[in-house]
Amino acid sequence: MRRITWVLAIIMSVALVLAGCGKKDAASVVKDLNNVSDKLESKQGAYQGSGTMTLYTGEQPQEYKVEVWYKNPSYYRISLSNVQKDVTQIVLRNDEGVFVLTPSLGKSFRFQSDWPDNQGQVYLYQTLLRGIVSDNNRQFAEDGDNYVFEVAANYQSSALVRQKIWLAKKTYEPKQVQVSDSEAKVVVNVKFDSFKFDPEFTKDSFDMQKNMATGSASESTLAEVDENGNPVAAPENARQEDQTAAAEPGDFGIIEPGYIPAGVQLKDSNKLEDSKDHSVLLRYDGTYQYTIIESRPLDRAVSLAPATLIDLGFTAGALTGDEQKTLTWMSDGVQYRITSANLPVSEMMQIAASMEEQSGK
């Protein structure tokens, strides 16, 4: 009996040692994540993921279906579908530049940009890896089959402070991301329902015209605008073709933002008479002075001058200008432009987010 007891004790000791050897700490997981990052930067680097993103920036949560494709060296395709409005927008990067597409409306923004280099997007796997690896004050825990990291948030919005990231233990696939504000309130929640490394993409997967064809609209022409987002006159023949192809857009009323910065008030709002695109002008005064222009553009597509891509959560916007900045974005067929010489970009982003759930009056 004594011999059996010693044998059992030895077996249990060995089992405990082996179990301990299989348990990883934060440092060893981070080392593995560095290797995963290196593989994504290799010639074969690629992934495909999908899930649901919920934004808690307004009175009611806004839910979006998210699909992300990546292929080295710098091909991206991000599809964002608004569940409530049944509208899909695609952020696309290929050799021709960066595009924001709304296939169902035949509209697109095209501009020169290095997006997403050095810019964080909560649904991009590289952003999550970068956040974990770069934060030396990271917190680490285990949650069932997942490793959980809590690190600093590094996004364009200063309101996003911390993020909690769940990664599968076996594969390091992303499972969930929660981004919180300074009061520890969750502002963005992303749940991945699928994620695959090394998927097979065709050359057409990142082609602009092929992605535009996923909607019901026909192939679009491009109308140029200047650095402030104002239309540049197109050649006469091109203008006539656009006018023939474009249907008269409907009146959407006046859409007012749900958020106004402290010390600012609405000065006036006017529908611009005789504008075929139903343009609306809102002017604000006070601590900051800015204007908001809303319209349903007749152009089937819009091309922007060199700009910075701004992640608005529900879509991507384009920031142009120097001393006077303009943030331009599309939502539900309406084009918005916020222009100001002193309004911070973070405030522009908050105003834009507050307009997503508003309807015209």
Side-chain angles (χ1 to χ4, degrees), residues 79-286:
S79 173
L80 293 168
S81 299
N82 187 308
V83 175
Q84 290 86 356
K85 297 181 180 180
D86 192 26
V87 175
T88 297
Q89 290 189 314
I90 297 172
V91 182
L92 189 74
R93 178 175 174 177
N94 56 28
D95 293 333
E96 298 174 0
V98 179
F99 300 83
V100 180
L101 315 174
T102 309
S104 62
L105 300 175
K107 298 184 183 297
S108 69
F109 292 87
R110 181 181 67 189
F111 45 91
Q112 298 174 10
S113 172
D114 61 357
W115 178 91
D117 299 341
N118 302 319
Q119 296 180 29
Q121 265 74 36
V122 66
Y123 38 73
L124 292 183
Y125 186 51
Q126 292 95 323
T127 298
L128 304 181
L129 293 181
R130 191 183 307 125
I132 294 172
V133 171
S134 63
D135 190 348
N136 292 325
N137 296 317
R138 68 184 78 89
Q139 296 180 20
F140 174 77
E142 295 186 36
D143 180 12
D145 295 331
N146 301 313
Y147 294 121
V148 184
F149 285 93
E150 187 172 346
V151 296
N154 184 24
Y155 300 104
Q156 291 172 314
S157 174
S158 58
L160 304 178
V161 178
R162 299 287 292 176
Q163 58 182 340
K164 201 170 182 179
I165 303 166
W166 284 257
L167 302 177
K169 287 182 178 179
K170 292 182 178 180
T171 61
Y172 295 125
E173 298 173 12
K175 292 297 184 180
Q176 185 175 356
V177 186
Q178 289 183 345
V179 189
S180 306
D181 60 16
S182 58
E183 298 179 352
K185 177 185 176 183
V186 175
V187 181
V188 183
N189 183 39
V190 179
K191 286 188 176 181
F192 290 88
D193 50 43
S194 69
F195 194 91
K196 181 182 179 182
F197 290 105
D198 305 320
E200 291 293 331
F201 291 119
T202 66
K203 188 174 182 179
D204 291 344
S205 298
F206 302 92
D207 180 79
M208 183 272 211
Q209 295 297 345
K210 290 293 183 181
N211 279 279
M212 283 296 287
T214 59
S216 59
S218 60
E219 185 172 316
S220 301
T221 57
L222 294 175
E224 298 291 335
V225 300
D226 64 20
E227 64 177 8
N228 292 318
N230 299 313
V232 175
E236 188 65 29
N237 59 345
R239 205 160 48 236
Q240 290 173 352
E241 290 176 4
D242 282 346
Q243 290 173 354
T244 301
E248 179 72 18
D251 189 352
F252 54 87
I254 298 178
I255 301 173
E256 296 185 6
Y259 168 78
I260 299 176
V264 174
Q265 61 183 1
L266 176 65
K267 184 177 181 180
D268 54 46
S269 61
N270 298 286
K271 290 187 176 182
L272 304 184
E273 297 296 331
D274 301 325
S275 61
K276 293 183 178 180
D277 58 3
H278 300 280
S279 292
V280 173
L281 174 65
L282 297 87
R283 297 193 299 173
Y284 292 82
D285 202 356

